[in-house]
């Protein structure tokens, strides 16, 4: 499977930046849902909940920032399909923006002393609303993604005035991503609470449950593939089932993590395994729509500025690293 | 529907209907909010650097307290709503003119990727300051704020190049490449103008915030007068505005200076509101060093919002009849496609059916509805804002045929009609049918050979056959045949 002419660099950048976005979103989804559940149980006063409350607004900001890059590259790679799906879903699709704004402000609200003083039910409602918003966005993205692969349905859908696209693999696909968000999000969160065995045990439950859901949903999804959308099902299937091995490794690592003697090493291995799982699933996602990828348009192929982009990317990454490292070193002790 | 048909030269996208609202109102409404917030964030970064310097040099005892409060507002407003309305701008532009944003992405995706790098730096510096700012020494506070301010301004730098390219592509149009397109003739006046606007918005927002601070009136007055220093560059706006007017195309300038009264009025609103804000700043704050209360500060900020809104309307309107000068008409048809569409028809290959086909009593009216959807609906509605029944409802049938066939001469900010005589007749019939109240029966004039021959003559007069892109050169020449 060689990428069509002129698409390789965009494909690599798309997948790489999309992976960063998905990992960060996984963390946000995990943390937000976690806060909602724990608050509903009246158990949101521990270190793990405090960690999530503190960092989630930043993580969502980082996730959205990271998400801008794949949003750009998808327009380069799949322009007509992406635009058509956007237009067909119309205001239903555009609703992701207010949903994100509401979810974002809910995360800030969850950090306030006022919300912390509310009864458990209302305290849970704030991250609960945020969770609902983010799940809606995830559902909408998957719906949009699948619609890009169904040109056979576009004209009919438009004529009917429908703004909802449903097909057999939609729900299992969303479930697979949401399930996958839990082990990925839990692994990122674990770095912040790696010395707290109790918090790690809680995260372990979420990670293993999420993995189980992801594997089960992935199976249902494969069973519901339609010939019209998966001309390369074999390759895509190999990519997807190739994730099972690292997923099993990830499950084992999470199983032992809370009581591991060399916890940092174990967590590092779990992070690597989570990354491999994500890469596999990302490659499945692209393999599945491989035949939708056309050679780069002449204007894209001729566009200048790539060297400048890579130079600016490296320079800005260095400045960001310098700022964060320098500021961390210059920190005065907390009062 | 085979994909091959969608990959043709003119891509057909599904077109959505926004009821009585014209699409420009949808993108304009969101765009104005986004530009206002984005420019507030850019100027806010500069203002914060200034106040950090005042604080660390001991020049202003309350500077740091103001800074920390202002920064939290900046984060809550700019990092959330500002950033997400930016994403929404992308989505909305797809809804309004997918081909325009597609062309911009194709041409400038690396520039957009560079802008994303600076956006990432802006977010990283901003959140680092938010998290650790109160525990950092002044040197690092200033570094973080300077990085934030520079990165946010650099975002403007790149995006400004793409937006100004739409009106003045400059040497890019002759094949000079992406950098010539970026640093186009209106790049610098537009960039400096937007920078002064950003500084003014930040200063006015600061005056509102300062009025909420729990310090004595004299301390608030001093802080407001410090913030007002960022209003001083407004003095550059008149020469910058003249510079901008000097470099835009002749016909665009003519719309702004009386050629289109609506555009001229919006120029007047933008200039008038800016003069009011500038005069108050110059006389009240910088010369007489007065205190302004929260109500006055809010009113000034509202005036600045009005000026921003009117300015963005003018910027968008000045591009007509293009979305990318000489390359793409506002209805997403290129000058080079005109000849082919005249010969074959503009809607015969449109794969999307009418959602309300049963409403139309004849096939000709259905064709007219498809033509309206493809060529008119981006700027017009049938019965709502900028409605065809209002604009053309009183024209006689023959007037309708000729005015539509010679559209770029009827109104020089309209694109040429891109279809054969039969499609002109179809939309002319559609308008008459709508004006008549959409009756159940309506004559089909498809076989009126004499009328079609007259229309074909007018089409040839407007854009001679075999002259691809003739509409573009006509517009450059001032819209006269």
């Amino acid at each position: 499977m060689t990428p069509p002419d002129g698409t390789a660099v965009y494909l690599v950048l798309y997948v790489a930046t999309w992976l960063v976005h998905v990992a960060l979103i996984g963390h946000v989804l995990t943390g937000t849902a976690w806060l909602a559940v724990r608050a509903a149980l009246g158990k949101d006063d521990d270190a793990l909940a405090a960690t999530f409350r503190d960092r989630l607004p930043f993580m969502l900001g980082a996730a959205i920032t990271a998400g801008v890059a794949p949003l750009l590259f998808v327009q380069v790679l799949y322009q007509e399909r992406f635009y058509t799906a956007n237009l067909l879903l119309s205001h239903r699709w555009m609703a992701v923006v207010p949903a994100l704004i509401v979810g974002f402000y809910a995360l800030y609200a969850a950090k306030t002393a006022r919300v912390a003083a509310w009864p458990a039910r209302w305290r849970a409602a704030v991250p609960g609303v945020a969770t609902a918003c983010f799940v809606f966005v995830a559902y909408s993205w998957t719906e949009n993604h699948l619609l890009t692969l169904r040109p056979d349905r576009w004209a009919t859908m438009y004529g009917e005035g429908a703004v909802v696209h449903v097909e057999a693999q939609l729900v299992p696909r969303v479930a697979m991503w949401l399930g996958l968000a839990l082990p990925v999000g839990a692994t990122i969160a674990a770095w912040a609470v790696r010395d707290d065995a109790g918090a790690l045990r809680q995260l372990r439950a979420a990670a293993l449950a999420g993995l189980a859901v992801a594997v089960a949903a992935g199976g249902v999804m494969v069973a519901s593939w339609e010939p019209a959308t998966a001309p390369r099902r074999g390759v895509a299937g190999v990519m997807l089932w190739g994730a099972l091995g690292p997923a099993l490794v990830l499950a084992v690592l999470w199983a032992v993590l809370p009581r591991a003697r060399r916890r940092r090493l174990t967590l590092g291995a779990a992070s690597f395994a989570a990354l491999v799982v994500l890469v596999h699933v990302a490659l499945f996602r692209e393999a599945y729509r491989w035949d939708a990828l056309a050679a780069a348009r002449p204007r894209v192929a001729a566009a200048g500025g790539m060297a400048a982009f890579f130079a600016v990317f490296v320079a800005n990454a260095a400045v960001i690293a310098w700022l964060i490292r320098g500021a961390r070193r210059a920190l005065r002790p907390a009062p | 529907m085979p994909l091959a048909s969608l990959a043709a030269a003119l891509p057909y996208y599904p077109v959505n209907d926004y009821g009585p609202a014209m699409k420009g109102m949808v993108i304009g409404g969101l765009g104005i909010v986004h530009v206002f917030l984005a420019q507030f964030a850019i100027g806010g970064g500069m203002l914060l650097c200034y106040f950090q310097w005042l604080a660390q040099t001991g020049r202003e005892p309350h500077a740091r307290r103001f800074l920390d409060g202002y920064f939290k507002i900046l984060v809550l407003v700019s990092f959330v709503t500002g950033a997400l309305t930016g994403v929404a701008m992308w989505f909305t532009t797809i809804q309004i003119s997918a081909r325009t944003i597609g062309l911009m992405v194709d041409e400038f995706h690396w520039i957009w990727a560079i802008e994303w790098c600076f956006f990432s730096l802006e977010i990283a510096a901003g959140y680092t300051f938010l998290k650790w700012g109160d525990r950092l020494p002044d040197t690092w506070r200033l570094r973080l704020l300077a990085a934030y301010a520079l990165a946010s301004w650099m975002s403007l730098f790149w995006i400004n190049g793409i937006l100004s390219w739409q009106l003045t592509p400059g040497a890019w149009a002759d094949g000079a490449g992406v950098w010539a397109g970026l640093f186009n003739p209106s790049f610098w006046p537009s960039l400096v103008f937007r920078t002064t606007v950003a500084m003014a918005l930040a200063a006015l927002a600061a005056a509102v915030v300062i009025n909420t601070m729990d310090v004595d009136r004299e301390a608030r007055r001093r802080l407001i007068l410090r913030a007002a220093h960022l209003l001083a560059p407004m003095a550059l706006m008149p020469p910058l505005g003249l510079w901008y007017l000097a470099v835009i195309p002749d016909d665009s300038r003519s719309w702004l200076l009386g050629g289109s009264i609506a555009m001229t009025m919006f120029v007047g609103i933008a200039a008038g509101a800016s003069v009011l804000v500038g005069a108050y700043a110059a006389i009240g704050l910088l010369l007489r060093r007065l205190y302004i209360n929260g109500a006055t500060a809010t009113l000034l900020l509202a005036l600045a919002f009005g000026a921003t809104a009117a300015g963005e309307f003018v910027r968008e309107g000045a591009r007509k009849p293009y979305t990318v000068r000489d390359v793409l008409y506002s209805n997403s048809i290129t000058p080079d496609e005109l000849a082919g569409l005249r010969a074959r028809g503009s809607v015969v290959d449109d794969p999307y059916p009418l959602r309300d086909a049963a409403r139309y009593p004849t096939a000709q009216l259905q064709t007219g509805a498809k033509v309206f959807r493809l060529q008119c609906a981006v700027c017009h509605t049938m019965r709502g804002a900028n409605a065809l029944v209002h604009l053309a409802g009183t024209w006689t049938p023959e007037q309708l045929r000729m005015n539509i066939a010679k559209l770029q001469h009827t109104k020089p900010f309209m694109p040429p009609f891109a279809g054969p005589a039969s499609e002109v007749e179809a939309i002319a019939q559609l308008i008459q049918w709508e004006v008549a109240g959409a009756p159940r029966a309506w004559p089909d004039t498809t076989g009126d050979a004499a009328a079609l021959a007259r229309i074909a003559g007018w089409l040839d007069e407007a854009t001679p056959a075999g002259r691809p892109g003739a509409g573009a050169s006509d517009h450059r020449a001032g819209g006269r045949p």
Side-chain angles (χ1 to χ4, degrees), chain A residues 10 54 58 65 75 79-81 83-84 86-87 94 105 108 154 158 297 299-300 316 327 330 332, chain B residues 3 6 13 15-16 76 81 92 95 98 102-103 106-107 109 116-117 127 131 135-136 352-353 355 373:
Chain A
Y10 300 107
D54 179 55
F58 163 72
T65 306
Q75 293 178 72
Q79 187 170 102
E80 288 191 25
R81 288 170 178 266
Y83 289 176
T84 302
N86 275 243
L87 283 156
M94 295 291 290
Y105 280 124
Y108 276 110
W154 292 349
Y158 178 80
R297 293 172 294 285
R299 202 181 282 280
V300 170
N316 274 24
R332 290 189 290 258
Chain B
L3 262 183
L6 295 170
Y13 288 108
V15 178
N16 288 316
L76 283 175
T81 310
T92 310
Q95 293 289 325
L103 171 62
D106 283 359
E107 191 64 38
H109 53 273
W116 170 73
C117 294
Y127 271 116
K131 186 166 177 60
R135 292 168 55 198
L136 284 173
Y352 295 101
R355 285 173 171 164
R373 189 175 70 181

Side-chain angles (χ1 to χ4, degrees), chain A residues 192-218:
Chain A
V193 292
R194 60 182 178 273
D195 298 326
D196 183 343
L200 289 178
R201 274 195 293 274
Q202 293 173 17
L203 286 173
R204 177 176 63 187
L208 294 178
L211 271 173
V213 169
V215 170

Side-chain angles (χ1 to χ4, degrees), chain B residues 40-65:
Chain B
F40 162 60
I42 292 160
M46 298 176 192
L47 184 91
L48 290 170
C49 286
Y50 177 48
F51 272 77
Q52 174 59 35
W53 177 77
L54 290 173
Q56 68 188 56
T57 54
R59 284 176 166 80
E60 183 52 62
H62 295 290
R64 181 163 174 157
R65 188 168 163 199

Side-chain angles (χ1 to χ4, degrees), chain B residues 11 47 60 69 80 99 142 186 200 255 262 274 286 291 296 304 338 362 366 368 411 432-433 439 452 464 469:
Chain B
L47 184 91
E60 183 52 62
V80 180
R99 201 177 187 192
L142 189 57
S186 63
W255 315 148
S274 301
L286 300 175
Y291 171 79
T296 307
L338 280 180
T362 68
Q366 290 183 355
K411 300 265 176 119
Q432 292 173 71
W433 177 72
L452 293 179

Side-chain angles (χ1 to χ4, degrees), chain B residues 10 12 333-334 337-347 418-420 423:
Chain B
L10 170 61
Y12 287 96
I333 291 170
T334 70
E337 288 163 357
L338 280 180
L341 295 172
R342 285 273 168 86
R344 177 165 172 74
S346 66
V347 296
E423 290 187 353

